[in-house]
Amino acid sequence: MTKKIALFWPGDARQKPNELALPNITEATVQLETALKKLGRQTYRVEGFLSKPHESIEKLGPIDDPMIGVCVHWFYGPHTCDGVAGKDNPLLLASNFSGRWPGLVGLLNTGACLEMLNRPFSRVWTSSPDFSKDSAFMDRLAEWCETGKIKYGESQIAYGGPVSADAFARAKRVAAGIRQRKPLFLMLGDTSMGMINGYFGPRLLHSVGFAEHKIDQAWIIDRGKRIDEARIDRALAFVKEKGITFHWGEKDAEDFDERATREQLRDYLVVLDLLQEFKADGLGWQYQLGLIPLRPPSDLAEGLFNSTCRPESNGDTIATATEADQGNLVPMEMMKRLLKDKGLHQAVMFHDVRWGAEHDGRFLWVLLNSGSCGAYAFNHDPNTLKGTHSYRQPSLYFPTPGGSFAGESLPGKMTWARAYIKNDVLWMDIGRGEVVKLPPKVRDEWWEGTTRQWPFMAADMGISQETLMAHYLSNHVAVAYGDIFDEMVALSQELGFRVRVLSGQ
């Protein structure tokens, strides 16, 4: 590999997050430059944040030298992918490991986008404030400098595997139901913020037995004008009576009031009507970024749809993926059906893989996404919304006031999954683990160190930190309480997914 290396800053499309990240990304870049100099490499910087796809095309496209993307905050996949797709010069995504500054989240999302485009890349990360003093990081960086790639062990990855006879029979039964009446997803827009890895399209969806129907999000605004105010009155009375705590008018949330929640319930009712009109089974809701200045956040509605206890409920959840992410929506619908068939509660939670740390001898991940976690995680009671809190979504990202759907997830055994595109076909990652109850002090440190307004889950995902960071192909994950691991492996294989089992056992 050549001695000269280009460093670039993949960015958010919004100016303010990039401005806030500037001190951290500058420091991380200096750390990388120092580390690379110790390895005998010369570096130069691509000017400024890449905050639009054309900037990636114009600034990265002409570069044939090896490149390193500096990942220290949330950024959009196309702001790297569009400039490097179709090229084969060595590419490395180098991330911090921070909950407050989620470069690892951006790395995981952009890595999945690159994988979808069949663009080779490598990844490396460190939590050390001095990169050069992290020996594992330096060894991996040296490997990339010499070979143009970094290889990580796969001892915790298997491809398929045996399942029990009961699990196989249950999977066959659920698969038969899917084939008898193909599940239909109502898609309110495409994936948000450049998450191209989360959009599969009709060809791949139909190959595994699912269908989609797209609805323009403008319908939410138009139809919302015709929602009867009495329905909103009843919906608000319902969520209050069932136990949601609304944090209206608190510090830094003075503009968050009952009116904002009513508008969120208006959107919930619009989408509920659309789901019924099109007889859809699941929901992908883009929301960001187009609706941000026009409508309150979709998170309250998403959390309600992922709960059996909700206004005008038919007794079922409606599997709902925030950011219109089909990579979570597909396994959520599959897991829901398996849970019901097994006599377990059907709720499946949507989360970000946000950050993690050692606690009590094992590595735990903070799973934290703004709104697509149902109330069952907080109370294990399908008939209530108790334990759910609605805080004003941070105004930096959500200028129109509205609340989240948050709470502390209860402990219990869990199964997790994620679908993604690799080598132009659909794959499914599947694992089992445990949701853990942390001591209050640790919980609060971790929660405050990420985003306190969002639902919190501390989870042992059954694999090492390195396995997830090195191999996982998303920043999102679907989580269900209960053991449906064998059933999910069997159902994924039956429907035609390639399967990776991620397990430390």
Side-chain angles (χ1 to χ4, degrees), residues 228-241 262 265 269 311-312:
D228 189 335
E229 294 295 321
R231 286 181 72 192
I232 300 176
D233 292 341
R234 290 192 295 270
L236 182 61
F238 180 93
V239 296
K240 284 182 175 180
E241 191 272 329
R262 288 181 63 88
L265 291 170
L269 293 168
E312 301 184 22

Side-chain angles (χ1 to χ4, degrees), residues 42 65 67 84 118 143 145 180 212 232 247 389 424 454:
Q42 302 170 4
D65 293 320
M67 292 188 290
V84 303
N118 298 320
E143 180 183 353
C145 287
Q180 182 178 15
E212 67 168 11
I232 300 176
H247 295 263
H389 295 258
D424 301 319
W454 293 359

